[in-house]
């Protein structure tokens, strides 16, 4: 089982590179550098009265370009791999994505993987970019990427959006095999692309799996079936879980954080659609037709509106969208996913330190223990390195 975690992506630059060095020292398999223009939480909440972390990081809307970070971090590391994404297919043409991936393949000496996704409107609409056709662009980009990675022959492609004629792309991989790319998302098209075209699939748990391991397993089977029908080996496909965590050895701390605005925001936003609340028999403050990727405009929200919405979140929903608790409690809920035998990668996203820098050290120790449980190895809970990433 491979495990990854987010690296720092905001100034100062040296801290971002050091986060990869620390991840490698802590025995992590992946460092995640996401593709963001602005924070996934409303920036109006990034104030010292809500989180002491705001005193240490002046702006959480100041993201570096991830490819540059990966290139610099690769020069300072030798083993850890780099997870780039999810990368949306709206702001970059497929040939540019292929060029970026293969350039990073050389820069990291074969330690790169890219995730393609439909993208988030918060990264587009404020900047004058239309998200229209994102699903079709993902379809085309996945097929074009596959062609560019697998051959240096001229590519002709008549797609839903992209049309290519005698497109030449000569940049080959660093090693004998091209770098992998995965697809994120659970729509029928996305599951098809993940199996028949890409090299893996990633989803988020527990919210994006409806807090139901069987729902996750059913979708994995669809991915594997598509791979087999396309003449590909389903056992070679990566199946990854991005897990949203609020983990600490102290149950009282976990219970306190259930009421924090950042954790409540996660609960509002991190399901495929708010209709998931309806399946759980819970009322979503914004009704049942709100989708994060389509509707979230985090930089635009008024603080009073956000806090009022967070206060209306049913507390029962917090644990359905986040794995909340001690490492043992989280592992008990995570185990049905892992015991399915399908999961190859677990990507850690722990929110404690966003709620306050005072939570970073204790949650870091808890994460160290949880990673040891996931990987089935003994770990030093007090080891430096990983605690500084969360």
């Amino acid at each position: 089982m491979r495990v990854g975690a987010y690296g720092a992506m905001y100034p100062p630059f040296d801290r971002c590179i050091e986060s990869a060095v620390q991840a490698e020292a802590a025995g992590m398999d992946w460092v995640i550098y996401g593709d963001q223009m602005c924070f996934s939480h409303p920036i109006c909440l990034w104030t010292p009265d809500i989180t002491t972390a705001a005193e240490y990081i002046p702006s959480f809307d100041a993201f570096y370009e991830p490819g540059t970070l990966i290139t610099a971090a690769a020069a300072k590391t030798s083993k850890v791999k780099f997870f780039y994404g999810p990368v949306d297919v709206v702001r970059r043409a497929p040939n540019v994505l292929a060029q970026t991936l293969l350039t990073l393949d050389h820069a990291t000496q074969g330690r790169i993987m890219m995730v393609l996704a439909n993208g988030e409107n918060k990264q587009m609409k404020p900047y004058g970019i239309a998200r229209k056709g994102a699903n079709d662009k993902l379809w085309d980009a996945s097929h074009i990427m596959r062609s560019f990675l697998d051959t240096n022959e001229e590519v002709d492609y008549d797609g839903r959006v992209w049309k290519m004629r005698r497109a030449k792309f000569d940049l080959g991989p660093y090693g004998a095999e091209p770098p992998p790319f995965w697809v994120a998302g659970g729509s029928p098209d996305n599951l098809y692309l993940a199996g028949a075209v890409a090299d893996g699939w990633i989803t988020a748990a527990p919210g994006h799996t409806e807090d139901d391991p069987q729902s996750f397993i059913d979708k994995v089977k669809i991915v594997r079936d598509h791979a087999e029908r396309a003449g590909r080996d389903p056992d070679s496909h990566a199946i990854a879980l991005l897990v949203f965590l609020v983990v600490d050895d102290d149950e009282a701390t976990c219970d306190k954080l259930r009421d924090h605005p950042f954790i409540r925001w996660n609960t509002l936003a991190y399901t495929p659609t708010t209709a998931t609340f309806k399946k759980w028999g819970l009322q979503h403050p914004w009704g049942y037709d709100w989708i994060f990727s389509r509707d979230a405009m985090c930089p635009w929200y008024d603080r009073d509106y956000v806090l009022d919405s967070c206060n209306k979140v049913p507390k029962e929903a917090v644990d359905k969208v986040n794995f909340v608790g001690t490492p043992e409690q989280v592992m008990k809920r995570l185990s049905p996913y892992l015991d399915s035998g399908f999961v190859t990668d677990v990507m850690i996203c722990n929110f404690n330190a966003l709620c306050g820098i005072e939570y970073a050290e204790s949650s870091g120790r808890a994460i160290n223990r949880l990673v040891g449980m996931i990987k089935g190895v003994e770990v030093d809970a007090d080891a430096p390195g990983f605690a500084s990433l969360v």
Side-chain angles (χ1 to χ4, degrees):
M1 188 75 65
R2 296 173 299 196
V3 180
Y6 278 87
M9 295 176 284
Y10 35 81
F13 191 86
D14 288 348
R15 174 170 55 194
C16 302
I17 308 311
E18 182 60 23
S19 68
V21 173
Q22 292 171 346
E24 182 171 84
M28 302 301 292
D29 300 288
W30 296 100
V31 177
I32 306 168
Y33 288 113
D35 178 33
Q36 296 289 324
M37 288 295 293
C38 59
F39 198 24
S40 294
H41 293 66
I43 196 64
C44 62
L45 299 181
W46 193 251
T47 55
D49 61 313
I50 289 181
T51 172
T52 54
E55 299 172 2
Y56 295 85
I57 303 169
S59 174
F60 234 135
D61 274 350
F63 285 96
Y64 286 122
E65 191 279 317
T68 306
L69 291 179
I70 291 169
T71 299
K76 296 287 187 179
T77 57
S78 60
K79 296 179 181 179
V80 71
K81 297 179 184 293
F82 297 95
F83 176 114
Y84 182 179
V87 179
D88 79 70
V89 297
V90 177
R91 294 177 296 151
R92 301 172 183 86
N95 59 304
V96 175
L97 290 170
Q99 183 184 42
T100 298
L101 177 56
L102 283 164
T103 299
L104 291 173
D105 188 39
H106 286 260
T108 63
Q109 298 184 325
R111 293 182 285 141
I112 186 66
M113 184 276 304
M114 181 181 282
V115 178
L116 302 185
N118 310 65
E120 299 167 348
N121 215 5
K122 72 178 178 64
Q123 316 256 83
M124 302 174 202
K125 188 173 182 178
Y127 306 96
I129 301 170
R131 189 173 177 267
K132 183 179 180 180
N135 296 338
D136 290 337
K137 289 178 180 178
L138 179 61
W139 179 272
D140 286 351
S142 299
H143 284 91
I144 292 169
M145 286 274 285
R146 184 78 280 150
S147 295
F148 281 154
L149 291 173
D150 288 351
T151 182
N152 60 0
E153 301 295 327
E154 293 179 344
V155 172
D156 291 323
Y157 182 79
D158 186 14
R160 298 178 178 179
V161 176
W162 289 99
K163 318 291 182 182
M164 293 195 172
R165 180 174 179 269
R166 299 186 63 182
K168 189 66 172 170
F169 188 81
D170 266 351
L171 180 58
Y174 170 78
E177 299 294 329
F181 73 95
W182 303 347
V183 167
S187 74
D189 272 5
N190 293 44
L191 297 178
Y192 171 83
L193 293 171
V197 183
D199 303 293
W201 179 57
I202 182 169
T203 189
H208 280 246
T209 63
E210 300 178 351
D211 192 29
D212 180 5
Q214 189 58 51
S215 174
F216 164 75
I217 291 168
D218 291 343
K219 288 183 177 179
V220 172
K221 289 179 178 178
I222 293 172
V223 171
R224 290 173 61 88
D225 183 60
H226 285 311
E228 192 167 14
R229 288 173 182 269
R232 311 181 75 205
D233 179 10
D235 291 332
S236 69
H237 270 50
I239 301 294
L241 274 180
L242 174 61
V243 294
F244 292 137
L245 297 172
V246 181
V247 62
D248 196 280
D249 287 319
D250 181 19
E251 291 187 46
T253 295
C254 294
D255 192 54
K256 178 181 179 181
L257 290 177
R258 284 181 172 93
D259 293 325
H260 194 280
F262 279 158
I263 307 306
R264 290 299 183 99
W265 173 260
N266 294 351
T267 305
L268 281 172
Y270 291 166
T271 59
T273 76
T274 53
T276 306
F277 274 57
K278 191 172 185 179
K279 294 180 180 180
W280 292 331
L282 300 174
Q283 178 67 46
H284 195 287
W286 300 333
Y288 299 126
D289 188 34
W290 189 90
I291 301 173
F292 182 86
S293 60
R294 183 191 68 194
D295 299 320
M297 291 295 153
C298 302
W300 293 1
Y301 290 130
D302 175 82
R303 177 183 168 109
D304 289 341
Y305 169 75
V306 172
L307 290 174
D308 180 64
S309 298
C310 289
N311 288 334
K312 293 177 180 176
V313 173
K315 194 163 185 177
E316 308 96 295
V318 175
D319 283 31
K320 288 186 169 296
V321 181
N322 309 273
F323 290 113
V324 185
T326 66
E328 289 78 13
Q329 290 168 336
V330 169
M331 193 63 190
K332 183 177 180 180
R333 291 184 61 201
L334 188 57
S335 288
Y337 294 91
L338 306 186
D339 292 345
S340 71
F342 292 134
V343 179
T344 60
D345 299 83
V346 175
M347 303 300 183
I348 300 293
C349 187
N350 184 43
F351 290 101
N352 291 37
L354 292 183
C355 299
I357 202 70
E358 63 271 21
Y359 301 114
E361 185 176 348
S362 60
S363 68
R365 288 195 299 267
I367 287 288
N368 280 348
R369 292 207 300 114
L370 178 62
V371 169
M373 294 175 190
I374 293 170
K375 293 176 74 72
V377 298
E378 292 290 330
V379 298
D380 179 2
D382 294 316
F386 190 73
S388 64
L389 297 179
V390 296

